[in-house]
Amino acid sequence: MSSYKSCGQRSVTQRARPSPSRLYKRFVAGVQDYIAGTAGSRVSRWVIWVVTMSQPQTSIVGAGISGLVLARCIRSVPSITIFDKDSVRRGSSRNSYGITLHPWAYRPLLKYLDLDEATFRRKIAVDAATGGIGRTASPSHTAIQGTDAASLRANKQKLEQMLKEGLDVRWDHSLVAVKSNESSSTLHFSNGTQTESTTVVGADGVHSQVRRNSVSPATDFNIFPFAVYNGKRRISAVNFDRNYASYMDGANIIEQRHGQTLLQITISDRTEDLVSISYTYSRPARDQDPIFNPARSNSSATDIPEALFHEVGELQHLEGPFKDVFNVENMRKDRLLNWLMRTIRVDATDLRNAADQGVVLIGDAVHAEPILGGYGANDAILDAIELAKHISNKGTDNLSQFIETRSKAWQKSIEDSEAQLAVMHSKTTPSL
């Protein structure tokens, strides 16, 4: 590379570095000029670069709810980057399904989003496109287990798109390794890039690579004995209005029980022309159960046993939407998945040791809960808000204190979700 030389001077590349005291004086003078608005563009850029490089670098792994909420809540903190394994295209179109948000979780978030509750609901409700507000249960029905009148059925994709506005998300960054020392951690990604951070937040879900690489490699899932299958389907708005609307009576989630077998139908998204629904068939596992396979791999989740269709076909007295949705011939055309009901408990000592090296987990990465009966998205929001408060008040030091303040809540949320799962499949639970 050629170097610029002026008459009687050494090249820029050969020039001696300024002494620390001279650098400091130059920095102070530059800041003063910058504040006064008299600094030249080169000095201004130099001052901004020094200020930026002196800030702690915080990396959030995972652009799901917990990672995005955390970034939104500490947007005033410099040098925060979110890394996600999905591609840009996948990141903009993923997760178009419904989740239930409860007021104790989403209301504390509203002030960070600068939104009132009515506007928030209109932006992310599964039925927002047709003027709905995400009502979970109809006025004529008993509330769905675990919900109240203010609970909101939200489209997860809409929520994530709203949260990530203005954030620095680096897509196509699949984490493969975390190497930590006393002062920083280096993240290595499958695309060959790497980044050094003083703080790493693992917000990368139940299969967290941060947890596996840096926090607690031996931690494994605890799988509960429930056979659960989920399907997705799109129906025309005309069909919905004719055969579903009156039965659902303004609700976005309905359920029916047959003994200990639970049938659920939920709306994932709705437009003027189409309604996307999701449905689950679930029951406690039995001895020698042909539809319960706790050892299945992630890739075999789409392997649906014929015994499931035989079992569904034997259901009697199905009414309204349930008769249409849980029709075997219709189900065979749908995308079905075998869901495992599982939790994760990460050892507190492992969490503290990782926190002392600037690595912390939030959301499903540290306390995964069953999809049915769990409060995963809600607890993820609270985790992110509480970590944001810690960082805002105390910086990124003493992250083990955050672990101590949240660990009891994590334990309780797991226990509550386990109990809820059992109650949902109890014969004594009242049917809607």
Side-chain angles (χ1 to χ4, degrees):
M1 179 181 70
S2 61
S3 300
Y4 170 78
K5 290 184 181 181
S6 62
C7 183
Q9 291 182 326
R10 286 177 290 179
S11 69
V12 173
T13 54
Q14 293 173 330
R15 193 175 300 154
R17 293 182 177 179
S19 65
S21 61
R22 182 173 294 181
L23 275 174
Y24 177 75
K25 291 177 181 178
R26 185 186 299 176
F27 171 70
V28 171
V31 170
Q32 291 172 340
D33 289 344
Y34 181 67
I35 293 173
T38 59
S41 60
R42 187 175 67 176
V43 174
S44 300
R45 288 196 301 269
W46 184 79
V47 170
I48 293 171
W49 179 83
V50 171
V51 172
T52 301
M53 292 306 292
S54 66
Q55 297 291 341
Q57 307 294 305
T58 300
S59 293
I60 300 173
V61 181
I65 290 177
S66 59
L68 294 174
V69 169
L70 174 62
R72 284 300 295 262
C73 292
I74 53 174
R75 291 181 72 179
S76 59
V77 177
S79 307
I80 296 177
T81 307
I82 306 174
F83 299 93
D84 196 275
K85 64 182 179 180
D86 278 347
S87 65
V88 176
R89 182 176 179 181
R90 165 71 175 158
S92 64
S93 61
R94 65 181 185 177
N95 297 335
S96 186
Y97 57 84
I99 56 175
T100 300
L101 298 181
H102 301 292
W104 49 265
Y106 72 74
R107 282 175 176 163
L109 176 63
L110 297 180
K111 69 175 182 178
Y112 295 99
L113 300 177
D114 195 24
L115 292 174
D116 61 78
E117 185 169 333
T119 302
F120 178 73
R121 296 179 76 104
R122 286 196 299 268
K123 281 179 172 287
I124 66 170
V126 293
D127 54 351
T130 54
I133 57 172
R135 184 183 292 124
T136 53
S138 72
S140 61
H141 284 158
T142 304
I144 300 296
Q145 188 74 29
T147 68
D148 65 28
S151 294
L152 160 66
R153 195 66 184 168
N155 180 273
K156 190 168 186 283
Q157 177 180 301
K158 292 178 183 177
L159 174 60
E160 291 182 347
Q161 287 177 340
M162 179 179 67
L163 290 171
K164 70 185 178 186
E165 290 177 3
L167 300 180
D168 183 7
V169 181
R170 310 288 175 86
W171 303 103
D172 295 298
H173 280 73
S174 180
L175 185 69
V176 294
V178 182
K179 297 181 180 179
S180 302
N181 55 43
E182 292 183 356
S183 60
S184 65
S185 296
T186 302
L187 306 181
H188 297 261
F189 301 99
S190 60
N191 60 11
T193 63
Q194 62 185 56
T195 188
E196 187 173 353
S197 302
T198 51
T199 305
V200 175
V201 180
D204 47 344
V206 295
H207 301 291
S208 171
Q209 289 301 311
V210 177
R211 184 185 69 241
R212 291 176 173 177
N213 276 279
S214 183
V215 179
S216 186
T219 295
D220 203 356
F221 295 109
N222 182 24
I223 299 176
F224 293 90
F226 289 86
V228 182
Y229 288 81
N230 172 262
K232 293 178 173 59
R233 187 182 305 169
R234 287 184 177 181
I235 59 178
S236 69
V238 173
N239 181 11
F240 181 85
D241 290 338
R242 181 187 302 124
N243 300 312
Y244 289 65
S246 61
Y247 190 93
M248 298 186 74
D249 192 22
N252 287 288
I253 174 171
I254 56 174
E255 58 187 38
Q256 190 176 95
R257 289 175 179 80
H258 296 260
Q260 289 183 282
T261 298
L262 174 65
L263 310 180
Q264 281 190 339
I265 302 174
T266 66
I267 295 177
S268 300
D269 195 19
R270 186 173 180 180
T271 67
E272 293 292 341
D273 301 320
L274 288 173
V275 180
S276 298
I277 64 169
S278 174
Y279 59 90
T280 55
Y281 176 92
S282 60
R283 61 163 175 74
R286 303 164 182 164
D287 292 338
Q288 305 296 318
D289 198 328
I291 70 170
F292 177 61
N293 181 16
R296 72 147 178 82
S297 64
N298 290 334
S299 60
S300 62
T302 55
D303 296 341
I304 309 301
E306 188 63 28
L308 172 68
F309 298 115
H310 177 74
E311 198 169 295
V312 172
E314 292 186 331
L315 291 173
Q316 301 293 320
H317 310 298
L318 295 182
E319 300 176 353
F322 295 97
K323 186 175 183 179
D324 180 58
V325 170
F326 292 95
N327 174 287
V328 170
E329 295 308 312
N330 291 339
M331 290 178 64
R332 288 185 185 276
K333 302 172 186 177
D334 296 332
R335 182 175 184 269
L336 296 174
L337 291 175
N338 175 207
W339 281 352
L340 295 179
M341 299 295 102
R342 52 196 176 187
T343 59
I344 284 178
R345 285 181 171 87
V346 183
D347 182 77
T349 301
D350 291 341
L351 292 172
R352 286 192 293 268
N353 290 339
D356 289 340
Q357 291 189 311
V359 181
V360 64
L361 303 176
I362 59 175
D364 285 345
V366 66
H367 58 94
E369 303 165 25
I371 301 175
L372 296 181
Y375 300 101
N378 299 271
D379 289 325
I381 291 172
L382 291 186
D383 284 353
I385 291 175
E386 291 303 316
L387 181 55
K389 290 179 181 178
H390 179 94
I391 293 174
S392 298
N393 295 332
K394 303 177 182 179
T396 54
D397 295 329
N398 199 17
L399 288 171
S400 58
Q401 190 175 82
F402 166 75
I403 300 298
E404 294 297 330
T405 59
R406 290 298 292 163
S407 57
K408 289 184 179 179
W410 293 339
Q411 179 67 24
K412 186 176 186 304
S413 66
I414 292 174
E415 292 173 354
D416 287 350
S417 67
E418 293 170 358
Q420 177 87 327
L421 185 62
V423 169
M424 290 172 68
H425 298 87
S426 170
K427 289 182 178 180
T428 59
T429 303
S431 180
L432 296 184

